[in-house]
Amino acid sequence: MAGISYLDDHRTWVLTGAATTYALRLDEDDVPTHVYWGPRLSPPEVVELTGKTLPRWDGFNDPNEGLDELAADGGTRYWTPALQLRFADGTRGLEWRYETHASTGGHLAISFTDRHYPVRLTLHYRFRGDVLERWTELSADTDVEVARADSATWVLPVLEDYRLSHATGRWAAETQLRREAVPHGETVFGSRRGITSHHANPWVMVDDGTATERHGEVYGVALAWSGSWRLTTTRASTGRLTISGGFGQDGVVHLVGPGKPLTTPVAAGLCTDGGFGAASRAWHAYVREHVLPHPGELRPVLYNSWEATGFEVSEAGQRALAERAAALGVELFVLDDGWFGARTGDHAGLGDWHVNRERFPDGLQPLVDAVHALGMKFGLWVEPEMVNPDSDLYRAHPDWVLHHAHRRRSELRNQLVLDFARPEVAAWAHGWLDRLVGDHGVDFLKWDMNRPFSEAGRPGEADQDRVWVEHTRAVYAILDRLRADHPGLRVEACSGGGGRLDLGVLARTDQVWPSDNTDALDRLRIQHGYSQLYPARAMSAWVTDNPNFVTGRSVPRRFRFHVAMAGVLGLGGDIARWPEADLAFAREMIALYRDIRPVVQHGALHRLRPPDGDGLVALQYVLGDRSVVLAYRQAAHFAEPDRLLRLDGLDPADRYLNPDSGATHSGAVLLAHGLRLGLPTGDFASTVIRLERIPR
């Protein structure tokens, strides 16, 4: 049974999840110290692991180093600090003094103060299934400089070796999975861009180097934060490894004082002994059940007009696209850029969020009504955090952008970043978004952000570094308020593709745009890295035109559809120009996707063959009595015959029907021997196979 126990005689807390236990204690100096994280143990069993602090080996080596629950700077503690404080008199560090603790509804809060200075610190813990959420609160009666405030330090058990899994990339090549040995010393992953970034994603997983999809211990940590962040692994010669993570970056200092508390984002941790596949399925379940705002929903098939029209938008053109999309079975029509202000290109208009009357003479309402009459929801692209210097907003409020005195205002994509940490800017943004959604009956917003921070300051402000935190918090607050005031509104997060993909933004949106690269071959790798932590239920995936606008590659339509069907299916091509054969095929594929959608979006994912090399890639989703297999042959070499594909997640005692072929299969045979895929010949071959459990 899940719960929290406090062992008073040992000053130890034991938190129990569905199949996991986490324990910490207070040492003789009141320092919160890690005891255990791993498979489930009872409180009496945890007691066997607790003990007194060990004496130092010598003047240079401490056997307790790296065991702190939140590694605070100070004294003879030399581990990678998760907390760094400097007081007004120049004193640095923290000396812990335990005050009290409280546990309610599965939430444990342990409160401390400094032994001399009026600083209060609370460590928070909460299990969601087998994912443990941790965060920290700081407050003070006088101003204190906080150079680093991580959410948690995670102490891993001593393993034979350590291997690190993480995602890296760039624009149009996000979430590329990497696996490599953990170096000794400190290894830092992060973003200094004010957004999550395309270049790294805020999670890491660690195993002993032998874990596979199906077997082995895996430990993972992920941050729920959409601004600048860092995760640091520290590996000592003693064999100890920790992961410390939180928001912020080197050189950014926050002031904590009266009326200025600091609460860190959630750092979530997970361990499993079922390999990377079990780890991913646990993360997916956590996101679906405890992170996403509407976890039980099915995400609709959408059409986005960007690739069809670019900035050449007109009411008549959008109506024509909407009519064709509805005829294909699309459920959500999204008007992308070019509908507002002087937005005829990316050089002007951002910030002037009023309908362009030359393009929409009677405003947006006629188009919205037409889309609704066709039986679809209506969505709009917006980029609230940005402004073009060539805009009425910038001419009226040049001080609203991030900038430093006596420094140039760097432009990227002809844009500057608005300072959402300013209350008047956040109020302005909420005001026009609220009117846009409420006055027009908008059902869906694609919230984009097409550049990172630069010159992140505000002249005249004493605590300018708070913008790195408060901007993101303001974005969260606006999204939270919009959703509360408009319960039917759904949101997709985008930042030039996958630049804002994390647990923090997923708590306020319904899906994310993982990459501007819709090339189906590249998407196999992008979606593979994405799936390590995030579920298909939140992954927007489009079918676009040949050749692909990013890569120039042409891929068969069947392959493009099947790859996009591994997530939330959407169309992004110029369907007004599609020949009837392509339209008929699209109708068929959308109907198929709508049938398998519950299994894909809410089922358990089994990665059967990863996109290594250029051979077969295969995924399987299982939900209740149904299973869906998606298989892709990237390239065929030497006319080699297809091998059987062993499935997973089925009951060996049951039989399964393929409703398309009429064939039945033994679950035991599918698991131990495999399924013949029957892929077409040649490169870019793909198939979708549906299986249904036959009632006994």
Side-chain angles (χ1 to χ4, degrees), residues 156-195:
L156 273 65
V158 176
L159 305 177
E160 289 297 319
D161 199 358
Y162 297 102
R163 179 175 59 176
L164 190 67
S165 299
H166 64 104
T168 186
R170 54 180 170 81
W171 176 79
E174 298 90 335
T175 55
Q176 302 297 294
L177 178 64
R178 311 292 184 200
R179 289 206 167 110
E180 51 211 351
V182 181
H184 284 77
E186 298 180 9
T187 304
V188 181
F189 305 91
S191 167
R192 299 185 181 93
R193 299 168 185 262
I195 53 175

Side-chain angles (χ1 to χ4, degrees), residues 147 287 389 392 438 450 564:
V287 174
D392 293 339
N450 277 307

Side-chain angles (χ1 to χ4, degrees), residues 271-576:
C271 66
T272 179
D273 60 2
F276 295 111
S280 293
R281 287 187 289 276
W283 281 118
H284 298 170
Y286 165 71
V287 174
R288 287 195 303 264
E289 297 167 16
H290 301 292
V291 177
L292 289 169
H294 301 282
E297 287 187 353
L298 292 174
R299 303 305 307 135
V301 177
L302 69 79
Y303 175 77
N304 182 287
S305 66
W306 172 250
E307 287 201 18
T309 62
F311 293 107
E312 300 301 318
V313 174
S314 69
E315 181 179 332
Q318 296 297 311
R319 280 177 177 266
L321 288 169
E323 290 169 1
R324 183 154 285 196
L328 297 178
V330 167
E331 300 157 310
L332 166 63
F333 180 86
V334 182
L335 167 58
D336 209 279
D337 206 342
W339 59 268
F340 56 92
R343 192 70 168 169
T344 58
D346 68 5
H347 62 283
L350 275 179
D352 299 338
W353 297 101
H354 51 81
V355 179
N356 184 314
R357 291 289 176 156
E358 292 182 6
R359 298 178 167 196
F360 298 90
D362 298 313
L364 285 178
Q365 201 59 54
L367 176 61
V368 176
D369 292 343
V371 169
H372 286 160
L374 289 166
M376 297 184 293
K377 301 284 190 181
F378 180 80
L380 272 179
W381 177 93
V382 293
E383 194 171 3
E385 299 157 79
M386 297 291 142
V387 65
N388 288 129
D390 185 1
S391 67
D392 293 339
L393 179 71
Y394 185 75
R395 285 184 281 271
H397 299 287
D399 57 321
W400 278 14
V401 301
L402 298 177
H403 67 285
H404 285 306
H406 315 301
R407 292 291 179 263
R408 289 175 293 181
R409 302 185 181 195
S410 302
E411 293 181 26
L412 294 171
R413 204 170 182 253
N414 304 308
Q415 297 177 191
L416 298 169
V417 182
L418 291 167
D419 181 0
F420 268 40
R422 296 174 68 122
E424 66 272 29
V425 179
W428 162 84
H430 174 265
W432 70 259
L433 284 163
D434 182 60
R435 290 190 298 273
L436 180 68
V437 173
D439 293 351
H440 296 92
V442 172
D443 305 295
F444 179 91
L445 291 176
K446 180 169 183 167
W447 183 306
D448 207 345
M449 184 186 187
N450 277 307
R451 62 153 294 179
F453 287 9
S454 61
E455 296 87 42
R458 188 191 310 160
E461 171 66 39
D463 187 10
Q464 294 192 39
D465 283 351
R466 288 186 77 89
V467 69
W468 292 96
V469 171
E470 296 306 323
H471 180 100
T472 301
R473 289 260 163 85
V475 171
Y476 287 172
I478 292 169
L479 285 167
D480 291 344
R481 188 175 171 189
L482 281 174
R483 298 182 71 103
D485 292 343
H486 305 282
L489 179 67
R490 301 295 179 262
V491 182
E492 178 176 279
C494 177
S495 179
R500 190 181 262 164
L501 165 60
D502 55 80
L503 297 176
V505 80
L506 282 174
R508 295 157 176 90
T509 58
D510 302 277
Q511 59 197 62
V512 292
W513 181 232
S515 179
D516 283 346
N517 186 349
T518 57
D519 180 310
L521 190 63
D522 286 351
R523 270 298 185 109
L524 289 175
R525 285 159 175 76
I526 292 169
Q527 294 175 185
H528 179 67
Y530 170 100
S531 76
Q532 303 300 310
L533 195 86
Y534 307 111
R537 156 67 175 73
M539 183 181 71
S540 187
W542 295 357
V543 177
T544 56
D545 290 337
N546 280 331
N548 186 270
F549 87 100
V550 171
T551 67
R553 180 186 287 121
S554 292
V555 176
R557 65 189 183 189
R558 179 184 183 91
F559 196 89
R560 282 177 280 146
F561 267 97
H562 286 169
V563 170
M565 289 163 71
V568 177
L569 177 65
L571 302 184
D574 187 358
I575 56 176

